[in-house]
């Protein structure tokens, strides 16, 4: 049905001889067409299912599949295409007699899908662990800078609590040159620490 539909020829169609079909755009095929017939959109699963029905990849440069009983215009041959028994026994040691080929297919594709999902989860877990390590190092560095900043503020606060010895003029304490220099250095240190913390 998919191969014969002229509306999807840009995605899947017969080869020139009508002896095999070609999936021209696997990504679009998996995304748009597979879910209309199967309960998944996994192209690799689809290829594995083709293999169980005796289809073989016919060309190395493209996704072309061939089966002697699958030819353009010869729909009478389709009943000769059967699932290989060896594959069924791998799926289950004691398959149900009432189980249909469709449920076999779902089982195979769900098994493949869960295996693929597990692999994806493992990769994601490794990536998150790496990112977590980087974040932990950044957090430790930020904590260290914050401690230095608090220590500097505490040091300045303690020095301010000592009795101010600066002379007064009309009741206002005079700013001595060394005092201004000390405050400027303190401000520079605070700015430097804050800018490092923000990086």
């Amino acid at each position: 049905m998919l191969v014969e539909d002229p509306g999807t020829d840009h995605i899947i169609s017969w080869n020139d001889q009508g002896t095999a079909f070609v999936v021209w755009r696997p990504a679009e095929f998996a995304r748009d067409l597979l879910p209309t017939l199967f309960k998944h959109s996994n192209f690799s699963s689809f290829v594995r299912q083709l293999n169980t029905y005796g289809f073989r990849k016919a060309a190395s440069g493209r996704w072309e599949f061939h089966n002697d009983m699958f030819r353009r215009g010869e729909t009478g041959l389709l009943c000769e295409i059967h699932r290989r028994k060896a594959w069924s026994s791998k799926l289950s040691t004691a398959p149900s007699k009432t189980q249909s080929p469709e449920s076999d297919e779902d089982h195979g594709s769900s098994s493949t899908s869960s295996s693929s999902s597990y692999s994806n989860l493992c990769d994601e877990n490794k990536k998150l662990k790496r990112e977590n390590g980087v974040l932990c190092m950044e957090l430790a560095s930020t904590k260290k800078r914050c401690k230095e900043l608090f220590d500097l503020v505490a040091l300045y606060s303690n020095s301010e609590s000592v009795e101010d010895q600066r002379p007064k003029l009309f009741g206002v304490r005079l700013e001595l040159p060394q005092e201004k220099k000390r405050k400027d250095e303190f401000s520079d240190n605070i700015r430097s620490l804050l800018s490092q913390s923000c990086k």
Side-chain angles (χ1 to χ4, degrees), residues 84-154:
R84 287 190 321 202
K85 291 180 181 177
W87 179 259
S88 298
S89 64
K90 283 181 188 176
L91 290 178
S92 172
T93 52
S96 167
K97 289 181 181 177
T98 59
Q99 190 175 24
S100 68
E102 287 79 10
S103 60
D104 257 358
E105 191 167 295
D106 291 344
H107 183 273
S109 60
S110 66
S111 162
T112 303
S113 176
S114 65
S115 161
S116 174
S117 296
Y118 176 75
S119 176
N120 289 341
L121 283 174
C122 285
D123 292 342
E124 185 68 18
N125 193 29
K126 286 176 187 175
K127 180 183 168 191
L128 289 172
K129 280 183 178 177
R130 282 195 302 270
E131 289 176 359
N132 190 42
V134 172
L135 288 173
C136 283
M137 285 174 18
E138 287 178 2
L139 179 61
S141 174
T142 303
K143 282 183 177 177
K144 183 182 174 188
R145 286 175 186 159
C146 285
K147 184 181 181 313
E148 290 171 356
L149 183 61
F150 285 130
D151 290 346
L152 193 59
V153 170

Side-chain angles (χ1 to χ4, degrees), residues 2 20 24 26 31 36-37 42 46 50 72 79 89-90 97 110 113 116 126 131 137 149 183 186 194-195 197:
L2 281 174
W24 301 105
R31 186 190 66 217
T36 64
L37 298 174
N42 188 324
F46 173 72
L50 286 176
R72 182 169 48 203
C79 61
S89 64
K90 283 181 188 176
K97 289 181 181 177
S110 66
S113 176
S116 174
K126 286 176 187 175
E131 289 176 359
M137 285 174 18
L149 183 61
K183 282 186 176 178
F186 175 75
L194 285 174
S195 67
S197 298

Side-chain angles (χ1 to χ4, degrees), residues 32 35 39 62 93 99 121 127 160 181:
D32 302 332
K39 293 180 181 179
R62 61 188 185 182
T93 52
Q99 190 175 24
L121 283 174
K127 180 183 168 191
E160 285 292 294
K181 182 181 177 186

